[in-house]
């Protein structure tokens, strides 16, 4: 991504920059991980849809008019109905490569936060998926109930209305895509376009109603420790290694006092997907932040970067820490484990059509 806005600090790990991927789109192998890339803006070409042809001469004007009128009405309803995604086969009518490009074009905005919507797109995908309960088989990205109250108003989802509003024009442009597919694909686009690994993704999620919203408390509480973290993630079906890989996404973005109550970025490059969450967590000295807000930590040296109480579990808990040390030392190992865990997260509880293709989108240059 271009124009990365950096929190003032000298980065000693700038050597992580590597050559961009050249691997073509595939559904069989995952391309090697790469770091940052730049791209030019891509404008989506409008898709021209033809109105069904009228009958040839020989029919009376009244009959022709009635048939043409009916065809026009049917064509309009098919192409403009916001409920098209409710059809079991609606997902087949979407060009997901075009959707990917359009989401990528929504990422950069110098007037928003650190200059990118990428971090909040990842959070939207994460929170819409992380409500899955393996015992009751409820929650997860299938249904996209995060767009409805009361789920949208749960404390853990504060601020995600920004991401949903940013993506809404694409739902109107591509009415056959489900919200569940749109939100999870946005997370995939953000991870990849901000320099992270290729993430396998497939369509076929359904949209549900507000009657199926999940109860509050299914997402992690940032103020808690290791036991709570495990309870939340074990309920979804993750192990300690997968949990640690997923939390590495905290390399992206920052906390906002107006949303979560906490404040600050985790590292100096909040719009780049790196292993910096782990390197900062383990290499810095962390002290309690002196302020009127909720309890959190800041780095002792500069006070510019923060860690949440739940983050510190990956430093203090022996089982979590052993994986954090691996990822701090080897970004490729982190990328490889993250992409598997993130794909699993996005697919929790989803009953995909048997012929749903698996996409590995090529990043935009």
């Amino acid at each position: 991504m271009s124009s990365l806005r950096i929190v003032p600090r000298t980065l000693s790990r700038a050597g992580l920059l590597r050559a961009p991927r050249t691997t073509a789109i595939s559904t069989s192998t995952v391309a090697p991980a790469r770091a940052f890339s730049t791209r030019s803006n891509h404008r989506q070409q409008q898709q021209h849809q033809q109105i069904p042809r009228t009958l040839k001469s020989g029919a009376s004007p009244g009959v022709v008019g009635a048939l043409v009128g009916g065809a026009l009405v049917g064509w309009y309803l098919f192409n403009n109905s916001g409920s098209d995604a409710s059809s079991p086969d609606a997902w087949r009518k979407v060009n997901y490569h075009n959707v990917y490009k359009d989401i990528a074009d929504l990422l950069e905005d110098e007037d928003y936060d650190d200059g990118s919507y990428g971090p909040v797109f990842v959070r939207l995908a994460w929170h819409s998926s992380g409500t899955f309960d393996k015992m009751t088989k409820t929650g997860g990205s299938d249904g996209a109930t995060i767009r409805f109250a009361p789920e949208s108003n749960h404390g853990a989802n504060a601020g995600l209305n920004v991401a949903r509003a940013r993506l809404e024009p694409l739902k109107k442009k591509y009415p056959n895509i489900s919200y569940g597919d749109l939100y999870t694909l946005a997370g995939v686009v953000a991870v990849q376009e901000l320099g992270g690994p290729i993430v396998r993704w497939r369509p076929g999620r359904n949209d549900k109603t507000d009657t199926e919203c999940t109860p509050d408390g299914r997402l992690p509480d940032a103020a808690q420790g290791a036991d709570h973290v495990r309870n939340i993630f074990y309920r979804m079906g993750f192990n300690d290694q997968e949990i640690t890989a997923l939390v590495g996404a905290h390399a992206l973005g920052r906390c906002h006092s107006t949303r979560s109550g906490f404040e600050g970025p985790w590292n100096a490059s909040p719009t780049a997907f790196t292993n910096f969450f782990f390197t900062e967590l383990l290499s810095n000295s962390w002290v309690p932040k002196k302020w009127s807000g909720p309890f959190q930590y800041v780095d002792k040296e500069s006070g510019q970067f923060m860690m949440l109480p739940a983050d510190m579990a990956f430093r203090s808990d022996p089982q979590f820490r052993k994986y954090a040390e691996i990822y701090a030392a080897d970004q490729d190992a982190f990328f490889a484990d993250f992409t598997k865990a993130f794909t699993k997260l996005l697919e929790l509880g989803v009953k995909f059509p048997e012929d749903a293709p698996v996409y590995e989108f090529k990043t935009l240059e």
Side-chain angles (χ1 to χ4, degrees), residues 189-268:
V189 173
V191 168
Q192 294 191 178
E193 295 299 318
L194 296 183
I198 292 291
V199 179
R200 289 184 173 187
W201 180 87
R202 53 181 167 165
R205 294 164 184 80
N206 298 304
D207 285 338
K208 299 178 181 178
T209 67
D210 57 357
T211 61
E212 299 184 71
C213 285
T214 57
D216 200 0
R218 288 195 176 184
L219 295 169
D221 181 348
Q224 303 298 316
D227 288 345
H228 168 79
V229 171
R230 284 195 172 92
N231 288 337
I232 292 293
F233 282 90
Y234 284 4
R235 187 208 70 230
M236 290 184 258
F238 289 108
N239 59 35
D240 286 357
Q241 176 264 315
E242 293 169 318
I243 298 170
T244 309
L246 285 172
V247 81
H250 277 178
L252 293 177
R254 63 173 61 237
C255 287
H256 304 78
S257 59
T258 56
R259 298 177 186 177
S260 65
F262 302 99
E263 183 64 38
W266 284 270
N267 65 80

Side-chain angles (χ1 to χ4, degrees), residues 158-211:
L160 290 179
N161 59 305
V162 172
R164 294 194 301 271
R166 183 75 168 174
L167 293 169
E168 188 61 27
L170 296 188
K171 172 60 177 173
K172 291 180 171 58
K173 182 175 181 179
Y174 303 97
N176 287 304
I177 192 171
S178 68
Y179 279 104
D181 282 346
L182 179 60
Y183 293 168
T184 54
L185 182 53
V188 170
V189 173
V191 168
Q192 294 191 178
E193 295 299 318
L194 296 183
I198 292 291
V199 179
R200 289 184 173 187
W201 180 87
R202 53 181 167 165
R205 294 164 184 80
N206 298 304
D207 285 338
K208 299 178 181 178
T209 67
D210 57 357
T211 61

Side-chain angles (χ1 to χ4, degrees), residues 82-122:
S83 61
D84 283 347
S86 62
S87 167
D89 292 324
W91 64 271
R92 303 176 191 276
K93 305 168 186 174
V94 181
N95 185 322
Y96 294 102
H97 296 286
N98 288 347
V99 179
Y100 182 103
K101 293 175 183 178
D102 282 356
I103 294 173
D105 284 338
L106 291 178
L107 293 179
E108 295 181 6
D109 186 340
E110 290 299 318
D111 294 326
Y112 176 73
D113 219 21
D114 292 297
S116 174
Y117 279 87
V120 76
F121 283 178
V122 173

